[in-house]
Amino acid sequence: MSETSHETEGPTGVVLAGGYSRRFGERDKALARLDGRPLLARVVARLAEVADRVVVNCRADQREAFADALDSSAGFDSAATPVRFVADPVPDRGPLFGFRTALREVGTETCALAACDCPFLDPRLLSDLAERLADDPDADVAAVRTGDRLRPTQAVYRTAAARRACDALLDDGEGRLSALFDRLDARVVPAEAVGGDAARSLFDVDTPADRERAAEMLDRETSAERGDGTPREREPGVAARR
Ligand SMILES: Nc1nc2c(ncn2[C@@H]2O[C@H](COP(=O)(O)OP(=O)(O)OP(=O)(O)O)[C@@H](O)[C@H]2O)c(=O)[nH]1
């Protein structure tokens, strides 16, 4: 590992959470609970395993409920990993706009981007990507490829390059996060080769049925764990609260 300061400084975690959860229905999926804990709290706690600080990008009207959700069930040490909220100046402009908003609050050379709806986000995947990015000075982002699809969330970016790319894309009227790969040099890692469990990590909750599926995934694991006496799922490296 290089001794240079930018490579020893951890990435900032960025959570996109400003969507309207339309497929989820009446409720904000970021606050939907899985085994008693809001999805947002699960994602922030997992990001805190690899990030020294976390920026949560959301709408102004979500902020209070999100702060309450993290206070009551964060499952991580908020003194060790400070969380800042940054609200989109205009709501509903899409995740790329949200990422640009969040990037304004990022002071580290790199950042790890995640969506709020991936309750099984795997810190091992992000730390693997962070290492690969540090090892490749020509790359702007290290990202997972599943099949022929590059994944813009659960990717680690060089902050300055990501800012420039967001600005240029938004100026061109582009709103898709995946368009970042048109502008950035990506170090691409196939899902089969990346650290951690990529399929599980990338599982996202869009609908109530997805939340049920996530609950079943947890239950199945719990039953399997009971067989060998291992305790119920907890955030990696963090003692279970509640
Ligand atoms: N800041 C911001 N984040 C967004 C916006 N739209 C989506 N996101 C976030 O981007 C991530 C992926 O988006 P989706 O899974 O489509 O979430 P969503 O837009 O809330 O859900 P649907 O309304 O069902 O599409 C989620 O973490 C969202 O919170 C937006 O307009 N602004």
Side-chain angles (χ1 to χ4, degrees):
M1 183 75 146
S2 160
E3 301 273 322
T4 54
S5 63
H6 67 268
E7 282 170 325
T8 51
E9 182 183 47
T12 296
V14 173
V15 185
L16 296 176
Y20 277 92
S21 311
R22 291 176 175 95
R23 285 168 289 172
F24 200 72
E26 298 293 300
R27 297 176 55 209
D28 192 328
K29 63 181 171 180
L31 297 174
R33 288 175 185 264
L34 185 60
D35 196 26
R37 300 186 57 214
L39 298 189
L40 176 67
R42 287 179 167 272
V43 170
V44 170
R46 284 159 175 266
L47 262 181
E49 293 285 308
V50 291
D52 299 331
R53 55 198 75 72
V54 173
V55 172
V56 175
N57 162 245
C58 60
R59 308 186 307 271
D61 62 28
Q62 293 172 300
R63 191 176 175 141
E64 194 178 332
F66 282 5
D68 286 349
L70 294 188
D71 280 350
S72 58
S73 58
F76 68 100
D77 181 356
S78 55
T81 312
V83 178
R84 292 179 71 163
F85 293 92
V86 51
D88 286 330
V90 183
D92 215 15
R93 291 279 304 274
L96 186 68
F97 185 82
F99 188 26
R100 179 170 72 174
T101 305
L103 284 166
R104 297 202 174 113
E105 297 297 319
V106 175
T108 51
E109 188 190 323
T110 62
C111 57
L113 180 63
C116 67
D117 57 1
C118 293
F120 306 121
L121 174 72
D122 194 330
R124 295 170 299 176
L125 180 150
L126 291 176
S127 72
D128 183 5
L129 293 178
E131 274 177 32
R132 291 180 195 249
L133 186 63
D135 288 345
D136 187 345
D138 294 331
D140 300 316
V141 53
V144 175
R145 192 190 68 222
T146 50
D148 56 5
R149 185 173 163 208
L150 274 175
R151 313 295 296 234
T153 55
Q154 302 194 27
V156 181
Y157 294 82
R158 289 197 199 283
T159 306
R163 268 195 204 113
R164 284 193 298 273
C166 286
D167 285 345
L169 289 166
L170 289 162
D171 284 352
D172 284 353
E174 180 59 77
R176 295 168 306 131
L177 272 179
S178 57
L180 285 165
F181 295 118
D182 300 339
R183 293 262 172 184
L184 297 175
D185 284 324
R187 171 81 183 257
V188 177
V189 188
E192 309 76 53
V194 77
D197 183 340
R200 190 171 189 270
S201 187
L202 289 161
F203 176 85
D204 61 340
V205 173
D206 288 327
T207 64
D210 292 334
R211 201 196 67 83
E212 289 310 310
R213 206 178 138 212
E216 284 162 18
M217 287 161 74
L218 269 187
D219 280 347
R220 263 201 309 277
E221 284 156 20
T222 306
S223 316
E225 284 167 356
R226 275 200 202 109
D228 65 15
T230 323
R232 190 177 179 82
E233 195 224 43
R234 64 193 95 60
E235 296 305 334
V238 178
R241 293 179 61 183
R242 299 189 320 111

